[in-house]
């Protein structure tokens, strides 16, 4: 049986257009999904849109459209952006889907049936942009949100609450017992630090008098479900564990056997780690559902030194970059530039540095090797010893596997690029142009060219998860019927294949 991997991105608010922050999360998930598929796993890669709550309701009102019209438009926009960026999601969930609404209602009913909910009153501050509550002492100057700086609202109302506090000890124990549950470690320590203070209960509903656009509570029609509870449950809905027609007693809640639940990996930005590492697992504990296996919190993209924001007008549009440099270049830049877990700064200069790495190291290697096979051997890879770089290949594959093991994708990609650098060094050292001039060294030249053909096949496989389009083109030029698996590529016998030189894989760009 192949190993199964279920991985998720956050679902994006259907109120704003995709920017490089969203693109990063999604491309990171896509590359990990592709690495998993490459190693033979069955994969469910989930993304989608978060469509309820006041944020959406207010944006729709601002535009003078119905909330669902806004959601339809934005969901289509996210989908097409992801398609243009070659993101091969298996399922795109929308929280306005009937199936999801039914699972959320069954989930919340189940919490109620198990005695984890109570009615109470809430008094405090709320930020609609972040869709979260703040206490007085957290606020910034002039009653602003400490996260986004927007004005917060004073709220006094009846809410239903989830007894989150009763799960605090169990959650701390879970985090301590599973050192790699939250990756990277700095984020794990942050969550543990947060959990040193007593955990409050979580308000899980909004009176309909204030918020209409949401899923009604199954046991109190005057309230809709808090958008974060609604949103988090999407991961369970898409897993297929729960048949919502069976209601809160659906057996899949406790025993998801045969479905994709529990998720192997939830990927998200550090800004929404608390919801994923505190709200979500405690809600699951309350419902008696197994917890996801890993959470990966990545860093934040800033522009130069500044936060990216609509109001500052400095939002970077991934599709504009895609148009200018191609899909693979955008993917490579985002994944190679940001050390998984840390913040990174977008600048056009750094984008070009990364682009030139693709063009001058990988592209140049392919161009040289293919040209020489065409020139010296009429375009047919000779039957030489293809193992001249086998040690370097082994070292690289080990480094890549180790880096992927703890989701350090940037390090895996650096190792892949280093192999291309090493292969360029091999060309310099072997001087095939000199070998070609000396008939006595024809065998050496065969070995050089066969080695280069094999290493290019390995590079096509290694770069495929991040640069799917250009890697497939490289494989085609190598005379392969498709990109090989890493296992096939490392022992490949390329002799006899007809190659094609083609234009540069990554053309020179005018700045
Ligand atoms: N709807 C919620 C998620 C619900 S998941 C059950 C949400 N949506 S969001 O549209 O605001 O953003 C989601 C993702 O985009 C998060 O992973 C967030 O970290 C990421 N990013 C948004 N801006 C970002 C940057 N500037 N840099 C990196 N990632 C950023 O939150």
């Amino acid at each position: 049986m192949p190993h199964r991997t279920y991985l998720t991105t956050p679902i994006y608010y259907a109120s704003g257009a995709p920017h490089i922050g969203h693109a990063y999360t999604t491309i990171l998930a896509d590359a990990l999904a592709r690495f998993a598929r490459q190693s033979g796993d069955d994969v469910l890669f989930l993304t989608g849109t978060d469509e309820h709550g006041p944020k959406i309701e207010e944006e729709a009102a601002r535009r003078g459209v119905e909330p669902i019209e806004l959601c339809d438009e934005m969901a289509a926009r996210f989908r097409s952006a992801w398609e243009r960026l070659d993101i091969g999601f298996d399922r795109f969930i929308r929280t306005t889907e009937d199936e999801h609404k039914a699972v959320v209602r069954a989930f919340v009913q189940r919490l109620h049936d198990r005695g984890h909910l109570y009615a109470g009153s809430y008094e405090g501050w709320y930020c609609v942009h972040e869709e979260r509550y703040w206490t007085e002492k957290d606020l910034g100057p002039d009653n602003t949100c400490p996260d986004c700086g927007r004005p917060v609202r004073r709220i006094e109302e009846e809410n239903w609450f989830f007894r989150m506090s009763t799960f605090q000890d169990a959650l701390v124990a879970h985090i301590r017992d599973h050192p790699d549950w939250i990756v990277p470690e700095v984020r794990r320590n942050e969550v543990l630090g947060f959990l040193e203070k007593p955990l409050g209960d979580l308000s899980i509903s909004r009176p309909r008098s204030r918020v209409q656009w949401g899923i009604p509570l199954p046991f109190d029609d005057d309230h809709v479900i808090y958008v974060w509870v609604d949103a988090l449950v999407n991961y369970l809905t898409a897993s297929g564990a729960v048949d919502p027609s069976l209601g809160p007693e659906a057996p899949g809640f406790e025993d998801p056997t045969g479905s994709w639940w529990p998720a192997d990996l939830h990927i998200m930005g550090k800004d929404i780690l608390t919801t994923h590492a505190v709200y979500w697992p405690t809600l699951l504990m309350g419902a008696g559902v197994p917890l996801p296996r890993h959470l990966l919190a990545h860093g934040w993209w800033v522009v130069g030194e500044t936060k990216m924001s609509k109001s500052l007008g400095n939002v970077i549009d991934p599709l504009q970059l895609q148009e200018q440099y191609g899909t693979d270049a955008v993917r490579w830049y985002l994944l190679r530039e940001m050390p998984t877990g840390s913040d990174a700064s977008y600048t056009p200069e750094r984008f070009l540095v990364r682009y030139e790495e693709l063009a001058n190291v990988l592209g140049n290697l392919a161009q040289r090797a293919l040209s020489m096979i065409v020139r010296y051997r009429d375009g047919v890879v000779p039957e030489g010893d293809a193992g001249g770089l086998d040690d370097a290949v082994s070292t690289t594959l080990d480094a890549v596997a180790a880096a992927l093991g703890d989701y350090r994708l940037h390090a895996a990609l650096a190792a892949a690029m280093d192999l291309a650098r090493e292969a360029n060094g091999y060309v310099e050292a072997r001087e095939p142009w000199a070998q070609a001039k000396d008939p006595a060294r024809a065998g050496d030249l065969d070995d050089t060219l066969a080695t280069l053909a094999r290493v290019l096949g390995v590079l096509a496989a290694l770069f495929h998860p991040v640069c799917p389009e250009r890697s497939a083109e490289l494989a085609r030029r190598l005379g392969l019927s498709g990109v090989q698996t890493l296992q096939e590529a490392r022992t490949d016998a390329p002799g006899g294949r007809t190659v094609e030189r083609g234009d540069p894989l990554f053309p020179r760009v005018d700045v």
Side-chain angles (χ1 to χ4, degrees):
M1 273 264 289
H3 185 263
R4 287 161 68 106
T5 298
Y6 174 25
L7 51 105
T8 69
T9 73
I11 47 174
Y12 303 103
Y13 286 125
S15 49
H19 61 55
I20 58 165
H22 309 124
Y24 174 75
T25 309
T26 320
I27 294 170
L28 175 63
D30 184 55
L32 293 173
R34 287 173 185 270
F35 272 114
R37 286 191 205 104
Q38 191 177 57
S39 64
D41 288 8
D42 268 347
V43 175
L44 176 63
F45 166 22
L46 171 72
T47 190
T49 38
D50 189 353
E51 305 192 352
H52 288 127
K55 190 179 165 96
I56 309 297
E57 198 167 39
E58 290 176 19
E59 177 64 18
R62 204 183 60 76
R63 299 186 187 196
V65 298
E66 288 301 317
I68 193 65
E69 292 178 271
L70 172 66
C71 295
D72 287 347
E73 181 195 324
M74 295 311 296
R77 203 151 153 194
F78 272 96
R79 269 190 100 107
S80 85
W82 299 158
E83 277 156 13
R84 267 179 64 187
L85 291 168
D86 253 330
I87 291 163
F89 53 83
D90 300 296
R91 165 96 151 91
F92 189 101
I93 194 170
R94 299 183 54 185
T95 53
T96 49
E97 287 169 21
D98 288 342
E99 185 198 1
H100 174 68
K101 290 194 259 188
V103 173
V104 172
R105 283 164 65 93
F107 185 88
V108 173
Q109 181 69 53
R110 189 174 165 88
L111 291 175
H112 191 45
D113 295 350
R114 299 175 129 224
H116 298 310
L117 303 185
Y118 64 93
S121 52
Y122 178 80
E123 245 193 272
W125 301 88
Y126 194 75
C127 170
V128 170
H129 182 75
E130 309 287 332
E131 296 280 22
R132 61 163 294 181
Y133 291 106
W134 293 107
T135 54
E136 184 101 32
K137 65 172 178 13
D138 295 322
L139 298 184
D142 299 323
N143 295 345
T144 49
C145 169
D147 265 10
C148 72
R150 291 175 177 78
V152 292
R153 295 178 189 174
R154 177 85 196 159
I155 285 182
E156 284 182 49
E157 62 191 23
E158 297 303 301
N159 283 179
W160 282 87
F161 288 84
F162 164 58
R163 295 182 202 282
M164 188 159 71
S165 52
T166 56
F167 297 97
Q168 175 160 12
D169 292 346
L171 178 59
V172 171
H174 184 82
I175 298 174
R176 291 205 189 287
D177 292 347
H178 301 84
D180 59 354
W181 190 61
I182 301 171
V183 186
E185 204 179 345
V186 278
R187 301 285 166 241
R188 173 177 185 261
N189 292 337
E190 253 172 42
V191 175
L192 282 172
F194 173 82
L195 288 169
E196 274 166 18
K197 285 179 281 172
L199 190 58
D201 287 342
L202 180 68
S203 158
I204 60 127
S205 77
R206 302 289 178 266
R208 280 226 220 179
S209 53
R210 185 167 69 80
V211 179
Q212 284 86 49
W213 186 238
I215 305 175
L217 267 184
F219 49 84
D220 181 347
D221 210 37
D222 292 337
H223 286 256
V224 296
I225 295 164
Y226 174 38
V227 59
W228 264 105
V229 174
D230 168 348
L232 288 162
V233 172
N234 93 86
Y235 303 134
L236 190 60
T237 307
S239 76
V242 175
D243 176 350
S245 71
L246 302 177
E249 292 305 318
F253 279 117
E254 264 163 70
D255 178 15
T257 313
S259 78
W260 289 92
W261 195 259
D264 295 280
L265 181 65
H266 290 320
I267 300 171
M268 85 263 357
K270 64 179 183 180
D271 53 315
I272 54 171
L273 177 58
T274 309
T275 51
H276 283 81
V278 179
Y279 298 4
W280 184 222
T282 52
L283 287 163
L284 289 168
M285 287 173 183
V289 177
L291 303 191
R293 296 201 174 93
H294 302 283
L295 310 178
L296 171 61
H298 66 71
W300 198 248
W301 281 96
V302 296
V303 177
E305 314 261 286
T306 331
K307 208 174 158 169
M308 206 169 22
S309 88
K310 248 197 256 175
S311 47
L312 292 173
N314 64 348
V315 173
I316 305 295
D317 177 0
L319 297 180
Q320 205 178 321
L321 287 171
Q322 186 266 349
E323 219 155 88
Q324 212 173 341
Y325 299 98
T327 299
D328 286 3
V330 176
R331 295 170 58 103
W332 167 256
Y333 168 75
L334 291 175
L335 295 185
R336 176 65 192 89
E337 185 72 355
M338 177 178 267
T340 324
S342 316
D343 293 346
S345 159
Y346 172 86
T347 66
E349 293 77 22
R350 289 300 302 166
F351 190 96
L352 276 183
V353 167
R354 290 299 179 198
Y355 183 84
E356 281 170 1
E357 199 174 20
L358 280 179
N360 299 344
V361 182
L362 179 62
N364 184 40
L365 173 71
Q367 197 71 6
R368 290 167 102 182
L370 294 169
S371 309
M372 290 189 293
I373 297 169
V374 169
R375 189 175 330 134
Y376 302 136
R377 294 291 182 264
D378 286 330
V380 178
V381 182
E383 301 283 352
D385 175 359
L389 281 163
D390 278 2
D391 287 349
V393 167
S394 293
T395 311
T396 302
L397 296 189
D398 289 348
V400 168
L404 288 177
D406 41 15
Y407 312 116
R408 287 175 304 109
L409 202 54
H410 64 289
L413 303 186
M417 191 56 92
D418 281 344
L419 178 61
R421 264 190 202 100
E422 201 155 337
N424 275 315
Y426 173 84
V427 175
E428 299 301 325
R430 298 278 296 185
E431 299 187 317
W433 45 90
Q435 292 173 332
K437 282 193 192 128
D438 180 355
R441 296 172 72 195
D444 290 344
L445 180 60
D446 287 349
D447 296 348
T448 306
L449 298 178
T451 293
L452 290 172
R454 177 185 283 176
V455 85
L456 281 175
V458 172
L459 288 165
L462 274 176
F463 277 83
H464 191 236
V466 54
C467 298
E469 203 265 322
R470 297 282 80 195
S471 303
E473 172 60 13
L474 175 58
R476 195 191 63 75
R477 291 183 191 182
L478 286 166
L480 294 163
S481 55
V483 177
Q484 298 164 299
T485 67
L486 285 170
Q487 279 322 313
E488 287 162 357
R490 70 190 303 178
T491 53
D492 183 45
R497 269 187 216 123
T498 303
V499 305
E500 185 187 314
R501 179 173 178 267
D503 295 333
L505 276 181
F506 298 94
R508 204 167 275 290
V509 288
D510 295 324
V511 186

